[in-house]
Amino acid sequence: MTKKKTILTVIWTIIALIAIAAVISLIVFPRWKGLFLAGSGAFLILNLFLSLFFISKNFKE
């Protein structure tokens, strides 16, 4: 159980860091570059959510 909780905590932390970086890129970079980086971050967050779902569902105790 502790391995599962540790893995899920690390993935949630990575998702939070990517979300913060995406919002900062929208503010700091010029129009299209910031939009591209934020969109790439959103796509990465979506993939991490999918992996989070499958890891929590299929993790062996």
Side-chain angles (χ1 to χ4, degrees), residues 12-59:
W12 276 110
T13 306
I14 291 171
I15 288 173
L17 290 173
I18 293 171
I20 291 169
V23 170
I24 289 173
S25 71
L26 277 174
I27 296 169
V28 172
F29 290 114
R31 188 175 182 179
W32 292 108
K33 189 183 289 186
L35 189 62
F36 174 74
L37 290 174
S40 299
F43 183 72
L44 184 60
I45 289 172
L46 177 67
N47 287 326
L48 285 172
F49 274 135
L50 285 173
S51 67
L52 188 73
F53 171 73
F54 286 120
I55 288 172
S56 66
K57 186 175 179 179
N58 295 323
F59 197 86

